[in-house]
Structure formats: C-alpha cells, structure tokens
Amino acid sequence: MDTQKKKQVKKMKFKMAFIGFGVVGQGLAEILVEKKDWLQKEHGFEYDVVAISDMKHGSVYLPEGLDVNKVLDMVENGKSLDEYPQGETGWEPLKTIMESNADVIVEVTYTDMETGGPALEHVREALKAKKHVVSTNKGPVATHGRELVELASKNGVHYLFEGTVVSGTPVINLARSTLAGCDIKEIKGIVNGTTNYILSQMEEGMEYEDALAQAQELGYAEADPTGDVEGIDAQGKIQILSNMVMGGELKLNDVERDGITGITLDDVKEAKKEDMRWKLVGSTMKTDSGIKAKVGPEKLPLTHPLANVMGPTNALTFSTDLLGDVTIIGPGAGKKETGFSLLVDLLELNGNMEG
Ligand code: HSE
C-alpha cells in the first residue's frame, strides 16, 4: 500500500450541490454512498450533499447535508425531491448555485452543443461565486472551455471535466498530465459508446432500432439519442479534444460530421463477409493550415486495432512526438462509468486541498 496515500492529512469536508440529477448524477451519488468510508480512509475525502436541483426530480436544499440514500430511494420510487421531509424545496439551479452553502457544484444537466447553455450559465456563475465545478457536461467545455478554465483560475477555484470525453476512462487527464511533455500531433478513435454498441449488436444480427432501444435502456445514449446516432455527441467530444488538448479554437461545425444512420444491417453483414467492420471514428490532427477534425463511419479491416473495440467500449490513440502512439481503451458511457469520472475530479480537488 502506498504510504503516501495513507498519510493523514486534514482536509476540508466538501459541501456539494448537484445541478441535474439524471443518470450520471445518480451514478456519482451511488458511488459516494458505496465508497463513503473507503474514500475517507484512503483519501481523507469527506463530503455532504447539501442540495440537488433537477428539472424532473425536483429540488431540495439542506445546509447540514441530505441523506443521499434516502434521496436515491425517492428518485427510484418516482417521488419528487420537493417531498423531502426537511430543508427548503423548489430552488432553481441558479439560486442553488448562488445561495446554497455548497463549495462544489456538480453540473450534470442537459447539454446544448451549439451554445453550451443553459449549463454554461451554471458553470460561469458558480466559478464567479468562487465555487469549484466538476462536470460531465460537454456543451460548456466545447464552446467556452478555455474561458471557463481561466475564470476558475482567476477566482482561485477549479473547473474539472474529465467525464466529458469517454466517460471515466482517463483521457483529459492523460493528455493534460501524463503526456504533458509530448507534442500530441493527432488524436483518433472511437468516442461514442452508443453507436459502437449499436454497430456491435447489428453485427450479431440485431435490427438498428432494437439495438438503439437497448443502448437507451442501458443508459449509454443521450436523453435525445439523435445526438449519438447522427454523430453530434462524437463531434462535441472531438471539438473538446481539439480545443482543450490540441490548442485549437474550433466551433462545433468546424468538425466535419457524419453519423451511423445511413448504415444498414445489410452493410454490416456485407462488411463481415469481407473481414471488415464499420466503426464511427473521430479524429483531430495538427496540420500546416491548423487543426483538422472530423467524425464519420469508416469500414476497417479486422486487423485494425479499432476494429476490435466492441460494445460501449471506446478507444483513443494519441500520436505523439516522443512516445509514438499511445492508446487507451475503456468504457465510453454508462451510469457508474460516468459517475466515476466525477469522483476522479472530486479527488483531484481533494488532492489540491493538501497542505
Ligand atoms: N451518449 C454518450 C455515448 C455518453 O454513448 O458515448 C457519453 O458521453
């Protein structure tokens, strides 16, 4: 056991407010409950969830901390959080951000990939109020990522978003920390779990609609799965990698895009006969004329490393000057997997609190 980890360090107890409490927020809440003692023992990480504000599940604020198990139970049983027996209810997201005693905002609301709103305003106002933000919300990072990181820094807080690309599989942190000494020339791979799952199921003979319905049931797909199957979710992730890792300033539509809706079961069967496989591939690369980025279906030979990445698993290859190619493969979507990415961001905040 790493003795450094065991070092007893006095840290602050985080007071967290969830803005949004859908699949991802609940995923984090479940992990926080399950690992509460372990997190305290291993990392000195302690927390209270003081507020939740969600369009569908209602909202509640209790400054001394909610019973997270009870909250999860209420949501599972279709009860509004407005019925929580203590605290104040009915608070809107911005009121929760500004007026609650939370020092960490977990922003997991709906994403608009074109404007970043309304999540953008949540993140901005939280940072202005000197509250840390951890978020899986792609919109604000894709559209205003660098501005928000600077705003956080100016206000002495952090804006962390590991889960915006490939859920909890460490991609942003890999590029930002571990590969920091390399010039990354290109990033290429599979960045959408839903479409990779659908294409994998179609290869087993399942109809497109049935595979999509399964992906929705399993919590891989966005609230509106059009974003997944038309390639918009992947386009946003490639935009984030282009801007936050490669130093570009791309708008969403600067990333060329095509989805998988044009691929039929016959196309998949035909490819199989040729020892090939359809994959939705995204890439961003540095060129003499700037960053070039795209997303689209590619028919790959089975010998290609990406061809064997199946189901909701994603993979990204970083082509670097000093290390050559570095590939990371891991979950690309899912309740716990994405909840985990927020835990990683919280532990990074916790690490930063060390004296
Ligand atoms: N809908 C997304 C996917 C979730 O399928 O990859 C993670 O962003």
Side-chain angles (χ1 to χ4, degrees), residues 136 138 163-167 191-196 219-223 227-228 233-234 237 312 314 332-334 338:
T136 55
K138 291 180 268 295
T164 54
V165 181
V166 188
S167 75
V191 291
N192 181 269
T194 301
T195 47
N196 208 48
Y220 304 145
E222 298 297 300
D228 293 294
D233 175 80
K237 289 168 181 163
N314 284 184
T338 313

Tab-separated table of all heavy atoms in Angstrom, residues 136 138 163-167 191-196 219-223 227-228 233-234 237 312 314 332-334 338, ligand 1:
chain	number	residue	atom	x	y	z
A	136	THR	N	-19.730	16.722	-16.263
A	136	THR	CA	-19.601	15.859	-17.444
A	136	THR	C	-20.285	16.521	-18.634
A	136	THR	O	-20.478	15.887	-19.671
A	136	THR	CB	-20.277	14.493	-17.204
A	136	THR	OG1	-21.637	14.746	-16.817
A	136	THR	CG2	-19.569	13.705	-16.135
A	138	LYS	N	-20.756	18.435	-21.784
A	138	LYS	CA	-19.851	18.747	-22.894
A	138	LYS	C	-20.013	20.173	-23.410
A	138	LYS	O	-19.040	20.798	-23.825
A	138	LYS	CB	-20.101	17.768	-24.049
A	138	LYS	CG	-19.676	16.357	-23.731
A	138	LYS	CD	-19.921	15.424	-24.880
A	138	LYS	CE	-21.273	14.747	-24.826
A	138	LYS	NZ	-21.515	13.821	-23.723
A	163	GLY	N	-14.987	13.673	-17.405
A	163	GLY	CA	-16.017	12.799	-17.981
A	163	GLY	C	-16.662	13.318	-19.251
A	163	GLY	O	-17.541	12.651	-19.803
A	164	THR	N	-16.231	14.464	-19.751
A	164	THR	CA	-16.863	14.962	-20.979
A	164	THR	C	-16.450	14.142	-22.201
A	164	THR	O	-17.148	14.138	-23.213
A	164	THR	CB	-16.514	16.445	-21.242
A	164	THR	OG1	-15.091	16.597	-21.228
A	164	THR	CG2	-17.145	17.357	-20.214
A	165	VAL	N	-15.296	13.482	-22.119
A	165	VAL	CA	-14.837	12.661	-23.244
A	165	VAL	C	-14.571	11.254	-22.729
A	165	VAL	O	-13.752	11.052	-21.836
A	165	VAL	CB	-13.534	13.247	-23.861
A	165	VAL	CG1	-13.081	12.404	-25.046
A	165	VAL	CG2	-13.735	14.694	-24.287
A	166	VAL	N	-15.315	10.265	-23.265
A	166	VAL	CA	-15.093	8.845	-22.977
A	166	VAL	C	-15.296	8.519	-21.481
A	166	VAL	O	-14.506	7.784	-20.862
A	166	VAL	CB	-13.709	8.387	-23.493
A	166	VAL	CG1	-13.536	6.896	-23.388
A	166	VAL	CG2	-13.515	8.761	-24.946
A	167	SER	N	-16.344	9.055	-20.918
A	167	SER	CA	-16.773	8.823	-19.522
A	167	SER	C	-15.572	8.777	-18.569
A	167	SER	O	-14.726	9.673	-18.608
A	167	SER	CB	-17.682	7.594	-19.424
A	167	SER	OG	-16.979	6.380	-19.534
A	191	VAL	N	-15.261	7.424	-29.953
A	191	VAL	CA	-15.585	8.252	-28.784
A	191	VAL	C	-17.076	8.269	-28.450
A	191	VAL	O	-17.510	9.112	-27.683
A	191	VAL	CB	-15.066	9.702	-28.966
A	191	VAL	CG1	-13.551	9.746	-28.929
A	191	VAL	CG2	-15.607	10.340	-30.234
A	192	ASN	N	-17.827	7.349	-29.023
A	192	ASN	CA	-19.244	7.286	-28.661
A	192	ASN	C	-19.626	5.842	-28.354
A	192	ASN	O	-19.483	4.956	-29.214
A	192	ASN	CB	-20.121	7.870	-29.786
A	192	ASN	CG	-21.591	7.833	-29.407
A	192	ASN	OD1	-22.302	6.883	-29.680
A	192	ASN	ND2	-22.059	8.872	-28.713
A	193	GLY	N	-20.099	5.616	-27.126
A	193	GLY	CA	-20.431	4.272	-26.687
A	193	GLY	C	-21.690	3.733	-27.347
A	193	GLY	O	-21.756	2.563	-27.730
A	194	THR	N	-22.687	4.597	-27.488
A	194	THR	CA	-23.985	4.176	-28.033
A	194	THR	C	-23.831	3.607	-29.445
A	194	THR	O	-24.315	2.510	-29.745
A	194	THR	CB	-24.953	5.375	-28.053
A	194	THR	OG1	-25.087	5.858	-26.718
A	194	THR	CG2	-26.313	4.995	-28.603
A	195	THR	N	-23.162	4.360	-30.303
A	195	THR	CA	-23.045	3.918	-31.702
A	195	THR	C	-22.171	2.675	-31.806
A	195	THR	O	-22.446	1.789	-32.630
A	195	THR	CB	-22.483	5.039	-32.593
A	195	THR	OG1	-21.348	5.608	-31.950
A	195	THR	CG2	-23.513	6.103	-32.850
A	196	ASN	N	-21.130	2.602	-30.970
A	196	ASN	CA	-20.283	1.409	-31.034
A	196	ASN	C	-21.064	0.189	-30.553
A	196	ASN	O	-20.920	-0.914	-31.085
A	196	ASN	CB	-19.014	1.610	-30.205
A	196	ASN	CG	-17.872	0.782	-30.744
A	196	ASN	OD1	-17.596	0.776	-31.948
A	196	ASN	ND2	-17.217	0.030	-29.872
A	219	GLY	N	-28.549	3.012	-20.505
A	219	GLY	CA	-28.064	4.319	-20.043
A	219	GLY	C	-26.865	4.837	-20.816
A	219	GLY	O	-26.175	5.742	-20.360
A	220	TYR	N	-26.614	4.292	-22.007
A	220	TYR	CA	-25.473	4.775	-22.795
A	220	TYR	C	-25.853	6.020	-23.586
A	220	TYR	O	-25.040	6.925	-23.763
A	220	TYR	CB	-24.985	3.720	-23.805
A	220	TYR	CG	-24.606	2.385	-23.203
A	220	TYR	CD1	-24.841	1.187	-23.887
A	220	TYR	CD2	-23.990	2.322	-21.952
A	220	TYR	CE1	-24.480	-0.041	-23.343
A	220	TYR	CE2	-23.638	1.092	-21.398
A	220	TYR	CZ	-23.888	-0.079	-22.104
A	220	TYR	OH	-23.539	-1.287	-21.566
A	221	ALA	N	-27.088	6.030	-24.093
A	221	ALA	CA	-27.495	7.084	-25.031
A	221	ALA	C	-27.802	8.393	-24.311
A	221	ALA	O	-28.128	8.406	-23.124
A	221	ALA	CB	-28.723	6.615	-25.807
A	222	GLU	N	-27.663	9.494	-25.044
A	222	GLU	CA	-28.057	10.803	-24.524
A	222	GLU	C	-29.582	10.830	-24.385
A	222	GLU	O	-30.291	9.993	-24.950
A	222	GLU	CB	-27.641	11.899	-25.509
A	222	GLU	CG	-26.144	11.997	-25.740
A	222	GLU	CD	-25.374	12.357	-24.475
A	222	GLU	OE1	-25.614	13.421	-23.907
A	222	GLU	OE2	-24.519	11.560	-24.054
A	223	ALA	N	-30.101	11.858	-23.659
A	223	ALA	CA	-31.552	11.989	-23.476
A	223	ALA	C	-32.235	11.955	-24.847
A	223	ALA	O	-33.255	11.288	-25.032
A	223	ALA	CB	-31.857	13.283	-22.756
A	227	GLY	N	-28.470	12.764	-31.006
A	227	GLY	CA	-27.110	13.292	-30.826
A	227	GLY	C	-26.056	12.208	-30.969
A	227	GLY	O	-24.958	12.461	-31.471
A	228	ASP	N	-26.384	10.998	-30.539
A	228	ASP	CA	-25.434	9.890	-30.656
A	228	ASP	C	-25.373	9.383	-32.094
A	228	ASP	O	-24.309	9.340	-32.705
A	228	ASP	CB	-25.867	8.738	-29.738
A	228	ASP	CG	-25.755	9.092	-28.272
A	228	ASP	OD1	-24.629	9.282	-27.803
A	228	ASP	OD2	-26.801	9.181	-27.598
A	233	ASP	N	-22.732	13.909	-30.694
A	233	ASP	CA	-22.037	13.687	-29.420
A	233	ASP	C	-20.531	13.484	-29.676
A	233	ASP	O	-19.689	14.102	-29.012
A	233	ASP	CB	-22.648	12.450	-28.732
A	233	ASP	CG	-21.911	12.063	-27.476
A	233	ASP	OD1	-22.141	12.689	-26.433
A	233	ASP	OD2	-21.074	11.131	-27.539
A	234	ALA	N	-20.211	12.666	-30.663
A	234	ALA	CA	-18.793	12.435	-31.001
A	234	ALA	C	-18.153	13.722	-31.525
A	234	ALA	O	-17.000	14.036	-31.196
A	234	ALA	CB	-18.685	11.321	-32.037
A	237	LYS	N	-17.196	15.824	-28.629
A	237	LYS	CA	-16.015	15.308	-27.925
A	237	LYS	C	-14.742	15.612	-28.710
A	237	LYS	O	-13.709	15.972	-28.133
A	237	LYS	CB	-16.163	13.800	-27.701
A	237	LYS	CG	-17.215	13.474	-26.646
A	237	LYS	CD	-17.554	11.996	-26.661
A	237	LYS	CE	-18.622	11.668	-25.641
A	237	LYS	NZ	-19.259	10.371	-25.880
A	312	PRO	N	-20.014	-0.854	-25.738
A	312	PRO	CA	-19.915	0.559	-25.347
A	312	PRO	C	-18.476	0.998	-25.050
A	312	PRO	O	-18.255	2.109	-24.579
A	312	PRO	CB	-20.780	0.622	-24.081
A	312	PRO	CG	-20.702	-0.746	-23.511
A	312	PRO	CD	-20.547	-1.714	-24.659
A	314	ASN	N	-14.815	2.378	-25.686
A	314	ASN	CA	-14.222	3.381	-26.591
A	314	ASN	C	-12.708	3.237	-26.583
A	314	ASN	O	-12.150	2.550	-25.724
A	314	ASN	CB	-14.591	4.797	-26.123
A	314	ASN	CG	-16.029	5.188	-26.452
A	314	ASN	OD1	-16.442	6.307	-26.199
A	314	ASN	ND2	-16.814	4.273	-27.021
A	332	GLY	N	-16.897	3.894	-22.518
A	332	GLY	CA	-17.176	5.198	-23.112
A	332	GLY	C	-18.464	5.809	-22.611
A	332	GLY	O	-18.753	6.969	-22.884
A	333	ALA	N	-19.262	5.031	-21.908
A	333	ALA	CA	-20.560	5.526	-21.459
A	333	ALA	C	-21.040	4.624	-20.327
A	333	ALA	O	-20.493	3.544	-20.095
A	333	ALA	CB	-21.554	5.494	-22.618
A	334	GLY	N	-22.085	5.072	-19.627
A	334	GLY	CA	-22.663	4.256	-18.565
A	334	GLY	C	-22.794	5.055	-17.280
A	334	GLY	O	-22.091	6.038	-17.066
A	338	THR	N	-19.565	6.952	-15.862
A	338	THR	CA	-19.520	8.411	-15.986
A	338	THR	C	-19.546	9.054	-14.598
A	338	THR	O	-18.859	10.061	-14.365
A	338	THR	CB	-20.676	8.911	-16.875
A	338	THR	OG1	-20.718	8.083	-18.056
A	338	THR	CG2	-20.442	10.346	-17.305
B	1	HSE	N1	-24.128	9.048	-25.117
B	1	HSE	C1	-22.729	9.066	-24.882
B	1	HSE	C2	-22.112	7.853	-25.533
B	1	HSE	C3	-22.468	9.079	-23.405
B	1	HSE	O1	-22.853	6.951	-25.934
B	1	HSE	O2	-20.896	7.785	-25.668
B	1	HSE	C4	-21.115	9.551	-23.042
B	1	HSE	O3	-20.891	10.864	-23.487
